[in-house]
Amino acid sequence: MKDQHSGTAQDAAASGTGAGNTRNTGPGRLLIAVYAVFAISASARAGYQILTKFAEAPLAYLLSAFAALVYVIATISLARAGSTWFKVSVAAVLVELVGVLVVGALSVFDSVQFPHETVWSLFGRGYGFIPLLLPILGLGWLYRRRPSRAS
């Protein structure tokens, strides 16, 4: 009897109904928690910067707001089941990686445009380089937990 129930859950997961989301279990929970912390901190930072000193560095503060949005989308999509949410997760984490690399490089080579730091400035130096490592870990986790091709 026990095997029938586990088989049913596996069948549901394989059919894409979301009963077997493995992205939000084990180390995935920690990954989602880190993304949630970054979503909250980047949103708060960007909101404060835009409301109080937007004229000082508009590009940097808008990029902080964009980073916050990416972290929110990544957090939600990593926690949700289904192949559509998997694709959203991959897209969000890829956008994050490209953002960290591009903004990081621009902030090094064109520091005039970045008089104030963003979450992704200098490859996330202000956050202990976690913004640089997080998408790499996220993509690795997503690769290991990708939906089966049978679904």
Side-chain angles (χ1 to χ4, degrees), residues 78-102:
L78 284 166
R80 304 297 294 248
S83 61
T84 300
W85 286 111
F86 174 81
K87 292 172 188 173
V88 172
S89 294
V90 171
V93 175
L94 281 173
V95 166
E96 176 194 6
L97 179 61
V98 170
V100 170
L101 294 175
V102 170

Side-chain angles (χ1 to χ4, degrees), residues 61-86:
Y61 299 152
L62 289 174
L63 284 171
S64 284
F66 178 72
L69 179 63
V70 170
Y71 287 126
V72 168
I73 293 169
T75 302
I76 293 168
S77 63
L78 284 166
R80 304 297 294 248
S83 61
T84 300
W85 286 111
F86 174 81

Side-chain angles (χ1 to χ4, degrees), residues 12 32-33 45 48 50 52 71 79-80 84 87 111 123 130 141 149:
I32 293 166
R45 178 181 185 165
Y48 173 78
I50 289 171
T52 62
Y71 287 126
R80 304 297 294 248
T84 300
K87 292 172 188 173
S111 59
F123 306 101
I130 293 173
W141 180 253
R149 293 186 183 247

Side-chain angles (χ1 to χ4, degrees), residues 13-15 83 143 146-151:
S15 70
S83 61
Y143 179 77
R146 66 192 181 278
S148 67
R149 293 186 183 247
S151 59

